């Protein structure tokens, strides 16, 4: 019987019970038919020897026959049974165990082919031994043998279905385990991605704040002018405030209690005081209150752009405009400085500062446009579609940026 894949303990016990019942029936039928054959017409030696050979072959196959050898073992058992029929018609009852075995060991159509000569031999045996023939001699083997074969085939089909169900269940369990492992891997990847994104954000904020403040302090300290000490102290204090706010993940200090325009105006005033550059801020009267994330992005872009003007532009004037058109808010920073000696730097965003600006704007589907030619200054335009940015869409950047700073190298 094909039970190698049985996994259910209950079904395993049922299969073992069915095997035991088949073995018991076969032994009982062999003993009873041997006694009847010896009592009726068969020589005693053959009546005992042949059933003994039948049971020995049956026992060997039940213990060791597997796979293709099991089918040949069944054919051999059938030949021994045919020899027993030649001795006595009483052995016809052993056809039922043969048909039960055929349903388990052979394919459906092969088991039917095997059943035809078995049933034919069971019907013809009484005739060959000149026993009185009745309807029961014909109908009995046909009905009993057919029923035994059908039971065997049906049970084997149920067993195969159960084994297939176990295989499917095991496959589903494996798929569930794999899915759990994939979900865990995805969660880990998301955590790592979140950590990488947070590191990038902190790097940008540190660059736009602490690094630029320190750069300004270095420039002021190198001037050797003692009158610059209050400015250095002020920048150091501002840097300390920035750093504390980065740690606390608070909103930019420049936006606390004031609008974006006021914050930019203070940065422009600081730029004018420190460098003497003429500054002007133009705000569209129709400009509505912007979502905090957009104000933070524009603030960072303005701070970085003004840091470039301070450090590199050699400009005499800088203009900043805040406008709104078609649902798109724009921040424009222009100066009359020396411009870019290598225009590719503006197009490719090779510097960290331009790359950081573009990265910030892309988070809100925004864009950064930089126009410059040597000797004609620089025009920087940052645009964000305000309608696509809810006020709480993303965490605001925690670190404030001062008006001073430098274009990253």
């Amino acid at each position: 019987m094909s039970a190698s894949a049985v996994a259910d303990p209950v079904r395993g016990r049922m299969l073992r019970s069915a095997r035991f019942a088949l073995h018991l029936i076969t032994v009982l039928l062999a003993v009873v038919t041997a006694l009847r054959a010896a009592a009726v017409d068969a020589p005693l030696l053959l009546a005992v020897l042949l059933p003994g050979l039948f049971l020995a072959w049956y026992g060997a196959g039940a213990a060791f026959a597997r796979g293709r050898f099991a089918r040949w073992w069944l054919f051999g058992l059938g030949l021994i049974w045919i020899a027993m029929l030649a001795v006595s018609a009483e052995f016809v009852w052993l056809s039922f165990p043969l048909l039960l075995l055929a349903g388990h060991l052979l394919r459906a159509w092969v088991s039917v082919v095997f059943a035809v000569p078995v049933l034919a031999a069971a019907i013809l045996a009484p005739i060959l031994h000149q026993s009185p023939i009745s309807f029961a001699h014909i109908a009995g083997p046909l009905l009993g043998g057919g029923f035994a074969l059908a039971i065997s085939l049906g049970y084997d089909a149920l067993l195969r279905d159960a084994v297939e169900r176990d295989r499917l269940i095991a496959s589903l369990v494996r798929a569930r385990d794999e899915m759990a492992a994939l979900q865990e891997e995805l969660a880990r990847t998301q955590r790592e991605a979140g950590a990488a994104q947070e590191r990038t954000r902190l790097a940008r904020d540190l660059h736009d704040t602490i690094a630029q403040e320190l750069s300004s302090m270095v420039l002021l300290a190198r001037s050797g002018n003692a009158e610059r000490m209050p400015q250095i102290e002020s920048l150091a204090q501002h840097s300390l405030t920035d750093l504390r706010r980065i740690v606390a993940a608070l909103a930019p200090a420049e936006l606390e209690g004031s609008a974006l325009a006021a914050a930019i105006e203070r940065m422009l005033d600081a730029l004018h005081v420190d460098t003497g550059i003429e500054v002007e801020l133009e705000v569209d009267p129709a400009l509505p209150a912007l979502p905090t994330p957009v104000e933070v992005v524009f603030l960072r872009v303005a701070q970085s752009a003004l840091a470039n003007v301070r450090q590199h532009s050699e400009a005499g004037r800088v203009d900043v405009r805040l406008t709104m058109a078609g649902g798109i808010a724009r921040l424009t920073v222009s100066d009359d400085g020396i411009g870019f000696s290598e225009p590719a730097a503006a197009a490719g965003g090779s510097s960290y500062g331009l790359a950081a600006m573009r990265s910030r704007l892309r988070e809100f589907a925004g864009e950064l446009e930089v126009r410059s030619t040597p000797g004609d200054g620089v025009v920087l335009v940052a645009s964000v579609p305000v309608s696509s940015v809810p006020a709480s869409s993303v965490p605001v950047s925690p670190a404030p940026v001062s008006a001073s700073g430098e274009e990253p190298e």
Side-chain angles (χ1 to χ4, degrees), residues 182-265:
L182 288 175
Q183 289 176 343
E184 182 178 353
E185 178 68 17
L186 178 60
R188 185 184 64 81
T189 302
Q190 289 175 338
R191 288 194 298 269
E192 293 177 352
Q197 184 178 7
E198 183 65 12
R199 286 195 297 270
T200 301
R201 184 187 65 80
L202 288 175
R204 291 188 316 212
D205 289 341
L206 289 172
H207 166 269
D208 292 342
T209 56
I210 307 300
Q212 293 179 359
E213 299 281 2
L214 292 175
S215 177
S216 296
M217 285 188 285
V218 168
L219 292 176
L220 292 174
R222 286 176 178 174
S223 67
N225 191 346
E227 295 178 357
R228 295 286 189 175
M229 291 304 297
Q231 295 181 7
I232 295 176
E233 181 182 0
S234 176
L235 288 172
Q237 183 62 42
H238 198 278
S239 298
L240 181 59
T241 302
D242 288 345
L243 182 59
R244 287 172 176 172
R245 291 186 180 276
I246 289 176
V247 175
L250 297 177
E254 290 86 344
L255 293 179
E256 288 185 355
S258 63
L260 173 64
I264 294 177
E265 185 174 12

Side-chain angles (χ1 to χ4, degrees), residues 200-372:
T200 301
R201 184 187 65 80
L202 288 175
R204 291 188 316 212
D205 289 341
L206 289 172
H207 166 269
D208 292 342
T209 56
I210 307 300
Q212 293 179 359
E213 299 281 2
L214 292 175
S215 177
S216 296
M217 285 188 285
V218 168
L219 292 176
L220 292 174
R222 286 176 178 174
S223 67
N225 191 346
E227 295 178 357
R228 295 286 189 175
M229 291 304 297
Q231 295 181 7
I232 295 176
E233 181 182 0
S234 176
L235 288 172
Q237 183 62 42
H238 198 278
S239 298
L240 181 59
T241 302
D242 288 345
L243 182 59
R244 287 172 176 172
R245 291 186 180 276
I246 289 176
V247 175
L250 297 177
E254 290 86 344
L255 293 179
E256 288 185 355
S258 63
L260 173 64
I264 294 177
E265 185 174 12
R266 288 197 301 272
M267 291 191 296
L268 289 172
D269 292 341
L271 178 65
H272 175 68
V273 170
D274 292 342
T275 64
I277 297 175
E278 296 296 324
V279 297
E280 182 177 352
L281 173 63
E282 179 183 346
V283 180
D284 187 350
L287 181 70
L290 299 176
T292 301
V294 176
E295 288 191 335
V296 172
V297 170
F298 278 173
L299 177 66
R300 298 297 185 227
V301 171
Q303 289 165 335
S304 186
L306 293 178
N308 292 340
V309 172
R310 176 190 295 266
Q311 298 291 330
H312 307 295
S313 69
E314 301 180 16
R317 180 181 179 84
V318 60
D319 296 293
V320 178
R321 286 183 295 164
L322 283 171
T323 59
M324 170 77 79
I328 298 178
R330 289 184 175 84
L331 169 70
T332 304
V333 181
S334 58
D335 65 70
D336 60 355
I338 61 174
F340 289 100
S341 59
E342 297 181 5
S350 59
S351 72
Y352 184 88
L354 293 177
M357 293 183 204
R358 287 192 170 91
S359 176
R360 287 182 184 277
L361 291 166
R362 276 197 298 267
E363 293 178 2
F364 304 96
E367 296 179 352
L368 178 68
E369 180 184 359
V370 182
R371 300 190 297 269
S372 177

